[in-house]
Amino acid sequence: MATAEDTNAARGVRDEADAEIERLAVDIGACRACVEAPLRSPLPHEPRPVCVLSPTARIVICGQAPGTRVHASGRPFTDPSGDRLRDWMGIGPEVFYDAARIAIVPMGFCFPGLDAKGGDLAPRPECRRLWHDKVFAAMPRIELRLVIGGYAQAYHLGAHRHRTLGGTVADWRAILSATRAEGRAALPLPHPSWRNNAWLKRNPWFEAECLPVLRSEVARLVG
């Protein structure tokens, strides 16, 4: 039976975890490294970091970077990609945006701008260098990382990543099993953007085989 001393110690640990997450959230919200000390051309607009940190979440969504709509809203996945991702996960907005259950940590916290063809630039490298190790160290309850896109897979999967994004996603079963054995379970996913509609049609196994496992894992961890 837990003693009052045990309970107070556990409460102190939780309070410190909450405080660390709050400090990180404040510091990230004020970050201007991509403008004032950029590792490549400066961000072409004012920074607006978008992420959801949590000391209690058991799932973290690890994506690329905010797009134009998210930059405008200041809330992650407020676009058709978010609608598709929520459908893949089998949850609605009320669960998806519950920070007590789901954290959202893209590789770049700010919208990186557009390239000459109108596509999004790569995530800013400053975020990974300054923040990601600290953020994940401060979220010890994470049990599953949903890893979306090549940049996130490079950071989170390491040697488990294949040469191509499609190859990585196709090996999702082995990657989930291996990373779970390492204590950092990760499930690689394609980006839920409309730009991947053709890939999804060519790979019906993703919907038939991967999504049921994804939904089962999500239901277990957010329940």
Side-chain angles (χ1 to χ4, degrees):
M1 180 178 295
T3 65
E5 183 177 348
D6 293 334
T7 300
N8 289 335
R11 185 179 297 116
V13 171
R14 289 196 300 270
D15 289 346
E16 179 56 33
D18 290 348
E20 176 62 15
I21 286 292
E22 289 177 7
R23 284 193 293 268
L24 281 168
V26 170
D27 290 345
I28 290 170
C31 182
R32 294 180 55 82
C34 53
V35 172
E36 297 174 356
L39 297 176
R40 64 182 194 218
S41 298
L43 192 72
H45 49 258
E46 275 297 297
R48 190 179 193 184
V50 178
C51 61
V52 177
L53 310 185
S54 172
T56 59
R58 299 167 72 190
I59 296 174
V60 58
I61 299 168
C62 309
Q64 300 285 91
T68 53
R69 295 191 186 189
V70 174
H71 179 67
S73 71
R75 196 180 196 198
F77 288 103
T78 51
D79 53 22
S81 293
D83 294 336
R84 174 177 270 174
L85 179 58
R86 286 183 281 275
D87 177 66
W88 285 356
M89 296 172 70
I91 58 176
E94 70 284 353
V95 175
F96 187 85
Y97 291 113
D98 181 358
R101 292 188 278 186
I102 294 179
I104 303 174
V105 183
M107 291 309 300
F109 295 139
C110 291
F111 169 53
L114 300 174
D115 62 24
K117 296 181 179 180
D120 290 0
L121 292 169
R124 298 294 310 191
E126 295 85 1
C127 300
R128 174 176 175 173
R129 181 175 180 179
L130 292 173
W131 301 115
H132 280 70
D133 290 352
K134 296 177 183 179
V135 164
F136 285 96
M139 297 196 299
R141 294 195 64 187
I142 294 297
E143 294 183 35
L144 178 64
R145 305 182 189 207
L146 304 182
V147 188
I148 302 170
Y151 289 95
Q153 290 169 8
Y155 177 78
H156 291 282
L157 301 184
H160 298 296
R161 184 174 65 120
H162 289 241
R163 185 173 57 85
T164 66
L165 190 149
T168 301
V169 176
D171 200 30
W172 66 270
R173 287 185 186 277
I175 291 172
L176 178 60
S177 177
T179 53
R180 175 166 283 150
E182 295 168 355
R184 53 182 190 89
L187 181 59
L189 300 174
H191 198 282
S193 166
W194 62 269
R195 296 177 186 273
N196 278 334
N197 285 350
W199 185 92
L200 294 169
K201 288 181 179 179
R202 292 195 306 270
N203 296 276
W205 56 263
F206 176 74
E207 182 173 354
E209 301 173 20
C210 184
L211 289 190
V213 174
L214 169 60
R215 289 167 181 159
S216 176
E217 290 286 313
V218 170
R220 176 178 68 86
L221 293 171
V222 302

